[in-house]
Amino acid sequence: MATLGEEDEGKFLMDGDGDQLGIVTEVEDDTAYVDPDPSLGEAWLEAFGWGSVDEDDLSVPGDVIDTVTDKELRIEKEL
């Protein structure tokens, strides 16, 4: 379980096996909003923390995030 904050915006969301699931567009109330299929332009904006939530984003609660690094959030291997 991790506590998520604004500093996690722009990071990659990875599954427990290390596969990329998307990019965090925004973090609010310990929930990461993840764009599962960003275009190249969106990926650049999100990498700098300038993304925004849209209707296609997935919500990922902080309690399923196992590891947080400088570049990624990794969900638990077994949910």
Coordinates of all heavy atoms in Angstrom, one line a residue:
M1 N 0.8 -1.2 0.0 CA 0.0 0.0 0.0 C 0.9 1.2 0.0 O 1.9 1.3 0.7 CB -0.9 0.0 1.2 CG -1.8 1.2 1.3 SD -3.1 0.9 2.5 CE -2.9 2.5 3.4
A2 N 0.5 2.2 -0.8 CA 1.3 3.4 -1.0 C 0.4 4.6 -0.8 O -0.8 4.6 -1.0 CB 2.0 3.5 -2.3
T3 N 1.0 5.7 -0.3 CA 0.3 7.0 -0.3 C 0.7 7.8 -1.5 O 1.9 8.0 -1.7 CB 0.6 7.8 1.0 OG1 0.3 6.9 2.1 CG2 -0.1 9.1 1.1
L4 N -0.3 8.1 -2.3 CA 0.0 8.8 -3.6 C -0.2 10.3 -3.4 O -1.0 10.8 -2.7 CB -0.9 8.3 -4.7 CG -0.9 6.8 -4.9 CD1 -1.9 6.4 -5.9 CD2 0.5 6.3 -5.3
G5 N 0.6 11.0 -4.2 CA 0.5 12.5 -4.2 C 0.8 13.1 -5.6 O 1.1 12.4 -6.5
E6 N 0.7 14.4 -5.6 CA 0.9 15.1 -6.9 C 2.2 14.8 -7.6 O 2.4 14.8 -8.8 CB 0.8 16.6 -6.6 CG 0.6 17.5 -7.8 CD 0.4 18.9 -7.4 OE1 -0.7 19.2 -6.9 OE2 1.3 19.7 -7.7
E7 N 3.3 14.5 -6.8 CA 4.6 14.1 -7.3 C 4.6 12.8 -8.1 O 5.5 12.5 -8.8 CB 5.6 14.0 -6.2 CG 5.4 12.9 -5.2 CD 4.4 13.2 -4.1 OE1 3.8 14.3 -4.0 OE2 4.2 12.3 -3.3
D8 N 3.5 12.1 -8.0 CA 3.4 10.8 -8.8 C 2.8 11.0 -10.2 O 2.8 10.0 -11.0 CB 2.6 9.8 -8.0 CG 3.3 9.4 -6.7 OD1 4.5 9.2 -6.7 OD2 2.7 9.4 -5.6
E9 N 2.3 12.2 -10.5 CA 1.7 12.5 -11.8 C 2.8 12.4 -12.8 O 4.0 12.9 -12.6 CB 1.1 13.8 -11.8 CG -0.2 13.9 -10.9 CD -0.8 15.2 -10.8 OE1 -0.4 16.2 -11.5 OE2 -1.8 15.3 -10.0
G10 N 2.6 11.7 -14.0 CA 3.5 11.6 -15.0 C 4.3 10.3 -15.0 O 5.1 10.0 -15.9
K11 N 4.2 9.5 -13.9 CA 4.9 8.3 -13.8 C 4.1 7.2 -14.5 O 2.9 7.3 -14.8 CB 5.0 7.9 -12.3 CG 5.9 8.8 -11.5 CD 6.0 8.4 -10.1 CE 6.9 9.3 -9.3 NZ 7.0 8.9 -7.9
F12 N 4.9 6.1 -14.9 CA 4.3 5.0 -15.5 C 3.6 4.1 -14.5 O 4.2 3.9 -13.4 CB 5.3 4.1 -16.2 CG 6.0 4.8 -17.4 CD1 7.2 5.3 -17.3 CD2 5.3 5.0 -18.6 CE1 7.8 6.0 -18.4 CE2 5.8 5.7 -19.7 CZ 7.1 6.2 -19.5
L13 N 2.5 3.5 -14.8 CA 1.9 2.5 -14.0 C 2.3 1.1 -14.5 O 2.1 0.9 -15.7 CB 0.3 2.6 -14.0 CG -0.4 1.6 -13.1 CD1 -0.1 1.7 -11.6 CD2 -1.9 1.6 -13.4
M14 N 2.9 0.3 -13.7 CA 3.3 -1.0 -14.1 C 2.6 -2.1 -13.4 O 2.2 -1.9 -12.2 CB 4.8 -1.1 -13.8 CG 5.7 0.0 -14.3 SD 5.7 0.2 -16.1 CE 6.9 -1.0 -16.5
D15 N 2.4 -3.2 -14.0 CA 1.8 -4.4 -13.3 C 2.9 -5.1 -12.5 O 4.1 -4.7 -12.6 CB 1.0 -5.3 -14.2 CG 1.8 -6.1 -15.2 OD1 3.1 -6.1 -15.0 OD2 1.2 -6.7 -16.1
G16 N 2.5 -6.1 -11.7 CA 3.5 -6.8 -10.9 C 4.6 -7.5 -11.7 O 5.6 -7.9 -11.1
D17 N 4.3 -7.8 -13.0 CA 5.3 -8.4 -13.8 C 6.2 -7.4 -14.6 O 7.1 -7.8 -15.3 CB 4.6 -9.3 -14.8 CG 3.9 -10.5 -14.2 OD1 4.5 -11.0 -13.2 OD2 2.8 -10.9 -14.6
G18 N 6.0 -6.1 -14.4 CA 6.8 -5.1 -15.0 C 6.3 -4.7 -16.4 O 7.0 -4.0 -17.1
D19 N 5.1 -5.0 -16.7 CA 4.5 -4.5 -18.0 C 3.8 -3.2 -17.8 O 3.1 -3.0 -16.8 CB 3.4 -5.5 -18.5 CG 4.1 -6.9 -18.9 OD1 5.2 -6.9 -19.4 OD2 3.5 -7.9 -18.6
Q20 N 4.0 -2.3 -18.7 CA 3.4 -0.9 -18.6 C 1.9 -1.0 -18.9 O 1.5 -1.5 -19.9 CB 4.1 0.0 -19.6 CG 3.6 1.4 -19.4 CD 4.4 2.4 -20.4 OE1 5.5 2.2 -20.6 NE2 3.6 3.3 -20.9
L21 N 1.2 -0.3 -18.0 CA -0.3 -0.3 -18.1 C -0.8 1.1 -18.5 O -1.9 1.2 -19.0 CB -0.9 -0.7 -16.8 CG -0.6 -2.1 -16.2 CD1 -1.2 -2.3 -14.9 CD2 -1.0 -3.1 -17.2
G22 N 0.1 2.1 -18.4 CA -0.4 3.5 -18.7 C 0.5 4.5 -18.0 O 1.5 4.2 -17.4
I23 N 0.0 5.7 -18.1 CA 0.7 6.9 -17.5 C -0.3 7.6 -16.5 O -1.4 7.8 -16.9 CB 1.3 7.9 -18.5 CG1 2.3 7.2 -19.4 CG2 1.9 9.1 -17.9 CD1 2.8 8.0 -20.5
V24 N 0.2 7.9 -15.4 CA -0.6 8.6 -14.4 C -0.8 10.1 -14.8 O 0.1 10.8 -15.0 CB 0.1 8.6 -13.0 CG1 -0.8 9.4 -12.0 CG2 0.3 7.2 -12.5
T25 N -2.1 10.4 -15.0 CA -2.4 11.8 -15.5 C -2.7 12.7 -14.3 O -2.4 13.9 -14.4 CB -3.7 11.8 -16.4 OG1 -4.8 11.2 -15.7 CG2 -3.4 11.0 -17.7
E26 N -3.2 12.2 -13.2 CA -3.5 13.0 -12.1 C -3.7 12.1 -10.9 O -4.0 11.0 -11.0 CB -4.9 13.8 -12.3 CG -5.1 14.9 -11.4 CD -6.3 15.7 -11.8 OE1 -6.4 16.1 -13.0 OE2 -7.2 16.0 -11.0
V27 N -3.4 12.7 -9.7 CA -3.6 12.0 -8.4 C -4.5 12.9 -7.6 O -4.2 14.1 -7.4 CB -2.2 11.7 -7.7 CG1 -2.5 11.1 -6.3 CG2 -1.4 10.8 -8.5
E28 N -5.5 12.3 -7.0 CA -6.4 13.0 -6.2 C -7.0 12.1 -5.1 O -7.4 11.0 -5.4 CB -7.6 13.6 -7.0 CG -8.5 14.5 -6.3 CD -9.6 15.0 -7.2 OE1 -9.3 15.7 -8.2 OE2 -10.8 14.9 -6.8
D29 N -6.9 12.5 -3.9 CA -7.4 11.7 -2.7 C -6.9 10.3 -2.7 O -7.6 9.3 -2.6 CB -9.0 11.7 -2.8 CG -9.6 13.1 -2.6 OD1 -9.0 13.9 -1.9 OD2 -10.6 13.3 -3.2
D30 N -5.6 10.2 -2.9 CA -4.9 8.9 -2.9 C -5.3 7.9 -4.0 O -5.3 6.7 -3.8 CB -5.0 8.2 -1.5 CG -3.9 7.2 -1.2 OD1 -2.7 7.5 -1.7 OD2 -4.1 6.2 -0.6
T31 N -5.8 8.5 -5.1 CA -6.2 7.7 -6.2 C -5.5 8.2 -7.4 O -5.4 9.4 -7.7 CB -7.7 7.8 -6.5 OG1 -8.4 7.2 -5.3 CG2 -8.1 7.0 -7.7
A32 N -4.8 7.3 -8.2 CA -4.1 7.7 -9.4 C -5.1 7.5 -10.6 O -5.8 6.4 -10.7 CB -2.9 6.8 -9.6
Y33 N -5.2 8.5 -11.4 CA -5.9 8.4 -12.7 C -5.0 8.1 -13.8 O -4.0 8.9 -14.0 CB -6.8 9.6 -12.9 CG -7.8 9.8 -11.8 CD1 -7.6 10.5 -10.6 CD2 -9.0 9.1 -12.0 CE1 -8.5 10.5 -9.6 CE2 -10.0 9.2 -10.9 CZ -9.7 9.9 -9.8 OH -10.7 10.0 -8.8
V34 N -5.2 7.0 -14.5 CA -4.2 6.5 -15.5 C -4.8 6.5 -16.9 O -5.8 5.9 -17.1 CB -3.8 5.1 -15.0 CG1 -2.8 4.5 -16.0 CG2 -3.2 5.1 -13.6
D35 N -4.0 7.0 -17.8 CA -4.4 7.0 -19.2 C -3.7 5.7 -19.7 O -2.5 5.6 -19.8 CB -3.8 8.2 -20.0 CG -4.2 8.3 -21.4 OD1 -4.7 7.3 -22.0 OD2 -4.1 9.4 -22.0
P36 N -4.6 4.7 -20.1 CA -4.0 3.4 -20.5 C -3.4 3.4 -21.9 O -2.7 2.5 -22.3 CB -5.2 2.5 -20.5 CG -6.4 3.4 -20.7 CD -6.0 4.7 -20.1
D37 N -3.7 4.4 -22.7 CA -3.2 4.4 -24.1 C -3.0 5.9 -24.6 O -3.7 6.3 -25.5 CB -4.2 3.7 -25.0 CG -3.7 3.5 -26.4 OD1 -2.4 3.4 -26.6 OD2 -4.5 3.4 -27.4
P38 N -2.0 6.5 -24.0 CA -1.8 7.9 -24.4 C -1.1 8.1 -25.8 O -0.3 7.2 -26.2 CB -0.8 8.4 -23.3 CG 0.0 7.2 -22.9 CD -1.0 6.1 -23.0
S39 N -1.5 9.1 -26.5 CA -0.8 9.4 -27.7 C 0.5 9.9 -27.4 O 0.8 10.3 -26.2 CB -1.6 10.5 -28.5 OG -1.6 11.7 -27.9
L40 N 1.4 10.1 -28.4 CA 2.7 10.6 -28.1 C 2.7 12.0 -27.4 O 3.4 12.2 -26.5 CB 3.6 10.6 -29.4 CG 5.0 11.0 -29.3 CD1 5.7 10.1 -28.3 CD2 5.7 11.0 -30.6
G41 N 1.9 12.9 -28.0 CA 1.7 14.2 -27.4 C 1.2 14.2 -26.0 O 1.7 14.9 -25.1
E42 N 0.2 13.3 -25.7 CA -0.3 13.2 -24.4 C 0.8 12.7 -23.4 O 0.9 13.1 -22.3 CB -1.5 12.3 -24.3 CG -2.8 12.9 -25.0 CD -3.9 11.8 -25.1 OE1 -3.6 10.6 -25.3 OE2 -5.0 12.2 -24.9
A43 N 1.5 11.7 -23.9 CA 2.6 11.1 -23.1 C 3.6 12.1 -22.6 O 4.0 12.1 -21.5 CB 3.3 9.9 -23.8
W44 N 4.0 13.0 -23.5 CA 4.9 14.1 -23.2 C 4.3 15.0 -22.1 O 5.0 15.4 -21.1 CB 5.3 14.9 -24.4 CG 6.4 14.2 -25.1 CD1 6.4 13.5 -26.3 CD2 7.8 14.2 -24.8 NE1 7.6 13.1 -26.7 CE2 8.5 13.5 -25.7 CE3 8.5 14.8 -23.7 CZ2 9.9 13.3 -25.7 CZ3 9.9 14.5 -23.7 CH2 10.6 13.8 -24.6
L45 N 3.1 15.4 -22.3 CA 2.4 16.3 -21.3 C 2.3 15.6 -20.0 O 2.6 16.3 -18.9 CB 1.0 16.7 -21.8 CG 1.0 17.7 -23.0 CD1 -0.4 17.9 -23.5 CD2 1.6 19.0 -22.7
E46 N 1.9 14.4 -20.0 CA 1.8 13.6 -18.7 C 3.1 13.4 -18.0 O 3.2 13.4 -16.8 CB 1.0 12.3 -19.0 CG -0.4 12.6 -19.4 CD -1.1 11.5 -20.1 OE1 -0.5 10.4 -20.3 OE2 -2.3 11.7 -20.4
A47 N 4.2 13.2 -18.8 CA 5.5 13.0 -18.2 C 6.0 14.2 -17.4 O 6.7 14.1 -16.5 CB 6.5 12.6 -19.3
F48 N 5.5 15.4 -17.8 CA 5.9 16.6 -17.1 C 4.8 17.0 -16.1 O 4.9 18.1 -15.5 CB 6.1 17.8 -18.1 CG 7.3 17.6 -18.9 CD1 7.2 17.3 -20.3 CD2 8.5 17.9 -18.3 CE1 8.4 17.1 -21.0 CE2 9.7 17.7 -19.1 CZ 9.6 17.4 -20.4
G49 N 3.8 16.1 -15.9 CA 2.8 16.4 -14.9 C 1.7 17.4 -15.3 O 1.0 18.0 -14.5
W50 N 1.6 17.6 -16.7 CA 0.7 18.5 -17.2 C -0.6 17.9 -17.8 O -1.3 18.5 -18.5 CB 1.3 19.4 -18.3 CG 2.5 20.2 -17.8 CD1 2.7 20.7 -16.6 CD2 3.6 20.6 -18.6 NE1 3.9 21.4 -16.5 CE2 4.5 21.3 -17.7 CE3 4.0 20.4 -19.9 CZ2 5.7 21.9 -18.2 CZ3 5.2 21.0 -20.3 CH2 6.0 21.7 -19.5
G51 N -0.8 16.6 -17.5 CA -1.9 15.9 -18.0 C -3.2 16.2 -17.3 O -3.1 16.9 -16.3
S52 N -4.3 15.7 -17.7 CA -5.5 15.9 -17.0 C -6.4 14.7 -17.2 O -6.2 13.9 -18.1 CB -6.3 17.2 -17.5 OG -6.6 17.0 -18.9
V53 N -7.3 14.5 -16.3 CA -8.2 13.3 -16.3 C -9.2 13.5 -17.4 O -9.8 14.6 -17.6 CB -8.9 13.2 -14.9 CG1 -9.8 12.0 -14.9 CG2 -7.9 13.0 -13.8
D54 N -9.4 12.4 -18.1 CA -10.5 12.4 -19.0 C -11.3 11.1 -18.9 O -11.0 10.3 -18.0 CB -10.1 12.6 -20.5 CG -9.2 11.4 -21.0 OD1 -9.4 10.3 -20.6 OD2 -8.4 11.7 -21.9
E55 N -12.4 10.9 -19.6 CA -13.4 9.8 -19.4 C -12.8 8.5 -19.6 O -13.3 7.5 -19.1 CB -14.6 10.0 -20.3 CG -14.3 10.1 -21.8 CD -15.4 10.5 -22.6 OE1 -16.1 11.5 -22.2 OE2 -15.6 9.9 -23.7
D56 N -11.7 8.4 -20.4 CA -11.0 7.0 -20.6 C -10.0 6.6 -19.6 O -9.5 5.5 -19.6 CB -10.3 7.1 -22.0 CG -11.3 7.3 -23.1 OD1 -12.5 6.9 -23.0 OD2 -10.9 7.8 -24.2
D57 N -9.7 7.5 -18.6 CA -8.7 7.2 -17.6 C -9.3 6.2 -16.6 O -10.5 6.2 -16.3 CB -8.3 8.5 -16.9 CG -7.4 9.3 -17.7 OD1 -7.1 9.0 -18.9 OD2 -6.9 10.4 -17.2
L58 N -8.4 5.3 -16.1 CA -8.7 4.3 -15.1 C -8.4 4.9 -13.8 O -7.4 5.6 -13.6 CB -7.9 3.1 -15.4 CG -8.0 2.5 -16.8 CD1 -7.0 1.4 -16.9 CD2 -9.4 2.0 -17.1
S59 N -9.1 4.6 -12.7 CA -8.8 5.0 -11.4 C -8.2 3.8 -10.6 O -8.7 2.7 -10.7 CB -10.0 5.5 -10.6 OG -11.0 4.5 -10.5
V60 N -7.0 4.1 -10.0 CA -6.3 3.1 -9.3 C -6.1 3.6 -7.9 O -5.3 4.5 -7.7 CB -4.9 2.8 -10.0 CG1 -4.2 1.7 -9.2 CG2 -5.1 2.4 -11.4
P61 N -6.7 3.0 -6.9 CA -6.5 3.4 -5.5 C -5.1 3.1 -5.0 O -4.5 2.1 -5.4 CB -7.6 2.6 -4.7 CG -7.9 1.4 -5.6 CD -7.6 1.8 -7.0
G62 N -4.6 4.0 -4.1 CA -3.3 3.8 -3.5 C -3.1 2.5 -2.8 O -2.0 2.0 -2.7
D63 N -4.2 1.9 -2.3 CA -4.0 0.6 -1.5 C -3.7 -0.6 -2.4 O -3.3 -1.6 -1.9 CB -5.2 0.4 -0.6 CG -6.5 0.2 -1.4 OD1 -6.6 0.3 -2.6 OD2 -7.5 -0.2 -0.8
V64 N -3.7 -0.5 -3.7 CA -3.2 -1.6 -4.6 C -1.8 -1.3 -5.1 O -1.3 -2.2 -5.8 CB -4.2 -1.9 -5.7 CG1 -5.6 -2.3 -5.2 CG2 -4.3 -0.8 -6.7
I65 N -1.3 -0.1 -4.8 CA 0.1 0.2 -5.3 C 1.1 -0.4 -4.3 O 1.0 -0.1 -3.1 CB 0.3 1.7 -5.4 CG1 -0.7 2.3 -6.4 CG2 1.7 2.0 -5.9 CD1 -0.6 1.9 -7.8
D66 N 2.0 -1.2 -4.8 CA 2.9 -1.9 -3.9 C 4.2 -1.1 -3.8 O 4.8 -1.0 -2.7 CB 3.2 -3.3 -4.5 CG 4.1 -4.1 -3.6 OD1 3.8 -4.2 -2.4 OD2 5.0 -4.8 -4.1
T67 N 4.7 -0.6 -4.9 CA 6.0 0.1 -4.9 C 5.9 1.4 -5.7 O 5.3 1.5 -6.7 CB 7.1 -0.8 -5.7 OG1 7.1 -2.1 -5.1 CG2 8.4 -0.2 -5.6
V68 N 6.6 2.4 -5.2 CA 6.7 3.7 -5.9 C 8.1 4.1 -6.0 O 8.9 4.0 -5.0 CB 6.0 4.8 -5.0 CG1 6.1 6.2 -5.7 CG2 4.5 4.5 -4.8
T69 N 8.5 4.4 -7.3 CA 9.9 4.8 -7.5 C 9.9 6.2 -8.1 O 8.8 6.8 -8.3 CB 10.7 3.9 -8.5 OG1 10.1 3.9 -9.8 CG2 10.6 2.4 -7.9
D70 N 11.0 6.7 -8.6 CA 11.1 8.0 -9.2 C 10.4 8.0 -10.6 O 9.9 9.1 -11.0 CB 12.5 8.4 -9.5 CG 13.2 8.8 -8.2 OD1 12.6 9.0 -7.2 OD2 14.5 8.8 -8.2
K71 N 10.2 6.9 -11.2 CA 9.7 6.8 -12.5 C 8.4 6.0 -12.7 O 7.7 6.0 -13.7 CB 10.7 6.3 -13.5 CG 11.9 7.1 -13.6 CD 12.9 6.6 -14.6 CE 14.1 7.5 -14.6 NZ 15.0 7.3 -15.6
E72 N 8.0 5.2 -11.7 CA 6.9 4.3 -11.8 C 6.2 4.0 -10.5 O 6.7 4.2 -9.4 CB 7.3 3.0 -12.5 CG 8.2 2.1 -11.6 CD 8.6 0.9 -12.3 OE1 8.9 0.9 -13.5 OE2 8.7 -0.2 -11.6
L73 N 4.9 3.6 -10.7 CA 4.1 3.0 -9.7 C 3.9 1.6 -10.1 O 3.6 1.3 -11.2 CB 2.7 3.7 -9.6 CG 2.7 5.2 -9.4 CD1 1.3 5.7 -9.4 CD2 3.4 5.6 -8.1
R74 N 4.0 0.6 -9.2 CA 3.9 -0.8 -9.5 C 2.8 -1.4 -8.6 O 2.8 -1.2 -7.4 CB 5.2 -1.5 -9.3 CG 5.1 -2.9 -9.9 CD 6.5 -3.6 -9.8 NE 7.4 -2.9 -10.7 CZ 8.0 -3.5 -11.7 NH1 7.8 -4.7 -12.0 NH2 8.8 -2.8 -12.5
I75 N 1.8 -2.0 -9.3 CA 0.7 -2.5 -8.5 C 1.1 -3.9 -7.9 O 2.1 -4.5 -8.4 CB -0.6 -2.7 -9.4 CG1 -0.4 -3.6 -10.5 CG2 -1.1 -1.3 -9.8 CD1 -1.7 -3.9 -11.3
E76 N 0.4 -4.3 -6.9 CA 0.6 -5.6 -6.3 C 0.6 -6.7 -7.3 O -0.3 -6.7 -8.2 CB -0.4 -5.9 -5.2 CG -0.3 -4.9 -4.1 CD -1.4 -5.1 -3.0 OE1 -2.1 -6.0 -3.1 OE2 -1.5 -4.2 -2.1
K77 N 1.4 -7.7 -7.1 CA 1.4 -8.9 -8.1 C 0.1 -9.6 -8.0 O -0.5 -10.1 -9.0 CB 2.6 -9.8 -7.8 CG 2.9 -10.7 -8.9 CD 4.3 -11.1 -8.9 CE 4.5 -11.9 -10.2 NZ 5.8 -11.6 -10.8
E78 N -0.4 -9.8 -6.8 CA -1.7 -10.5 -6.6 C -2.7 -9.6 -5.9 O -2.5 -9.1 -4.9 CB -1.4 -11.7 -5.7 CG -0.3 -12.6 -6.2 CD -0.6 -14.0 -6.0 OE1 -1.7 -14.4 -5.6 OE2 0.3 -14.8 -6.4
L79 N -3.8 -9.3 -6.7 CA -4.8 -8.4 -6.1 C -5.9 -9.3 -5.6 O -6.4 -10.2 -6.0 CB -5.4 -7.5 -7.2 CG -4.4 -6.5 -7.8 CD1 -5.0 -5.7 -8.9 CD2 -4.0 -5.5 -6.7

